């Protein structure tokens, strides 16, 4: 099936540890995005990438890192520098022009224990 | 600052009635708007979109209206069903801003049986 796959669905992290969330898409989309969602809140942009080997910081990039070595993959690392990492993380992708719509994966829940 | 926001955080409607969810935006240069539906614990699901050169667009049971004069966007759901219960987000894409998707805070739609 075509789509955006995020894994794992649920992840627990001890304080001081880095964790990496996976995002893979087989839609041949050019751009990929990571958003963070806190309970009862909207979505905030962490990082985005419009092409391979290039990415830009979003509004809340501190404590996070990404890479875009392949078109279909855009992993997000939540580092120990992120002081409040417990949240729902959403990966998204967008086709190249003229397509504008951004499609989302099913999300990953990260909990710090 | 620039923002996309919603007037009502929670909307309760009777099954079978029509629902109207409103959204205000502040950037008159915005090119493209999207409505998403998000069910609990899932990623946002695309509902309908509209370009800034349009006033109205219809889908299956949904209609989006855009009033550029007052910078207002609305989503109308006809014959609301229990499966429509979810949080609805409007989002704005600014083509001159690297296709960053800016989200409002969301409206929760509750459908009474």
């Amino acid at each position: 099936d075509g789509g955006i796959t995020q894994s794992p669905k649920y992840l627990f992290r001890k304080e001081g540890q880095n964790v990496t969330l996976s995002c893979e898409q087989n839609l041949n989309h050019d751009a990929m995005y990571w958003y963070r969602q806190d309970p009862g809140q909207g979505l905030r942009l962490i990082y985005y990438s419009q092409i391979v080997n290039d990415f830009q910081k979003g509004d809340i990039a501190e404590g996070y890192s990404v890479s875009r070595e392949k078109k279909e993959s855009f992993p997000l690392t939540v580092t120990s520098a992120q002081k409040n990492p417990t949240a729902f993380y959403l990966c998204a992708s967008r086709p190249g022009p003229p397509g504008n719509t951004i499609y989302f994966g099913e999300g990953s829940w990260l909990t710090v224990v | 600052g620039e923002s996309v926001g919603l007037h009502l955080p929670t909307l309760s409607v009777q099954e079978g009635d029509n629902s109207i969810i409103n959204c205000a935006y502040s950037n008159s240069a915005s090119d493209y708007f999207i409505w998403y539906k998000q069910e609990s614990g899932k990623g946002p699901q695309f509902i309908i979109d509209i370009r800034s050169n349009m006033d109205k667009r219809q889908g299956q049971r949904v209609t989006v209206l855009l009033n550029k004069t007052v910078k207002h966007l609305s989503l109308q759901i006809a014959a609301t069903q229990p499966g429509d219960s979810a949080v609805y987000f409007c989002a704005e894409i600014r083509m001159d801003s690297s296709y960053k998707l800016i989200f409002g805070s969301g409206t929760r739609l509750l459908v009474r049986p």
Side-chain angles (χ1 to χ4, degrees):
Chain A
D1 291 339
I4 303 168
T5 302
Q6 291 187 235
S7 63
K9 179 67 176 179
Y10 300 96
L11 184 61
F12 296 88
R13 189 194 91 171
K14 293 181 179 180
E15 289 189 12
Q17 286 184 336
N18 294 351
V19 294
T20 298
L21 307 180
S22 170
C23 179
E24 304 280 330
Q25 53 98 2
N26 60 3
L27 302 167
N28 199 34
H29 284 178
D30 290 337
M32 297 186 75
Y33 304 77
W34 274 106
Y35 286 86
R36 169 180 172 143
Q37 187 176 32
D38 293 285
Q41 302 293 318
L43 282 71
R44 293 183 291 168
L45 181 63
I46 305 173
Y47 268 98
Y48 61 104
S49 168
Q50 297 204 81
I51 57 173
V52 175
N53 293 322
D54 186 52
F55 49 83
Q56 289 80 40
K57 293 181 178 180
D59 301 319
I60 56 166
E62 184 176 354
Y64 300 97
S65 65
V66 293
S67 63
R68 186 85 186 278
E69 298 177 359
K70 298 185 296 182
K71 186 176 185 179
E72 60 270 24
S73 179
F74 191 41
L76 173 74
T77 296
V78 184
T79 75
S80 58
Q82 172 50 238
K83 298 306 179 185
N84 186 23
T86 296
F88 188 44
Y89 290 87
L90 287 156
C91 179
S93 69
R94 177 182 61 81
N100 295 319
T101 301
I102 295 178
Y103 298 92
F104 285 84
E106 287 301 300
S108 293
W109 289 94
L110 173 63
T111 302
V112 174
V113 297
Chain B
E2 296 173 342
S3 65
V4 177
L6 298 176
H7 297 308
L8 300 174
T10 303
L11 177 64
S12 180
V13 299
Q14 189 73 38
E15 180 179 357
D17 288 351
N18 296 336
S19 302
I20 300 176
I21 302 172
N22 297 303
C23 177
Y25 64 95
S26 58
N27 187 349
S28 58
S30 296
D31 303 276
Y32 185 63
F33 302 89
I34 306 174
W35 279 101
Y36 287 94
K37 172 186 180 183
Q38 187 178 27
E39 297 175 306
S40 181
K42 296 186 177 180
Q45 177 186 0
F46 171 86
I47 301 174
I48 193 168
D49 58 4
I50 189 168
R51 294 185 180 274
S52 59
N53 61 355
M54 301 171 67
D55 298 322
K56 179 180 180 179
R57 190 163 189 219
Q58 289 184 295
Q60 186 177 9
R61 282 201 307 119
V62 295
T63 300
V64 55
L65 299 177
L66 177 61
N67 185 332
K68 294 181 287 294
T69 301
V70 295
K71 291 182 281 188
H72 183 267
L73 193 70
S74 68
L75 176 70
Q76 300 178 0
I77 304 173
T80 311
Q81 303 170 358
D84 294 327
S85 293
V87 176
Y88 290 81
F89 293 97
C90 66
E92 164 191 16
I93 290 183
R94 302 170 190 177
M95 304 302 192
D96 61 352
S97 186
S98 301
Y99 285 83
K100 287 171 60 175
L101 190 65
I102 309 298
F103 281 87
S105 57
T107 292
R108 181 173 299 280
L109 177 64
L110 300 175
V111 181
R112 304 188 304 272

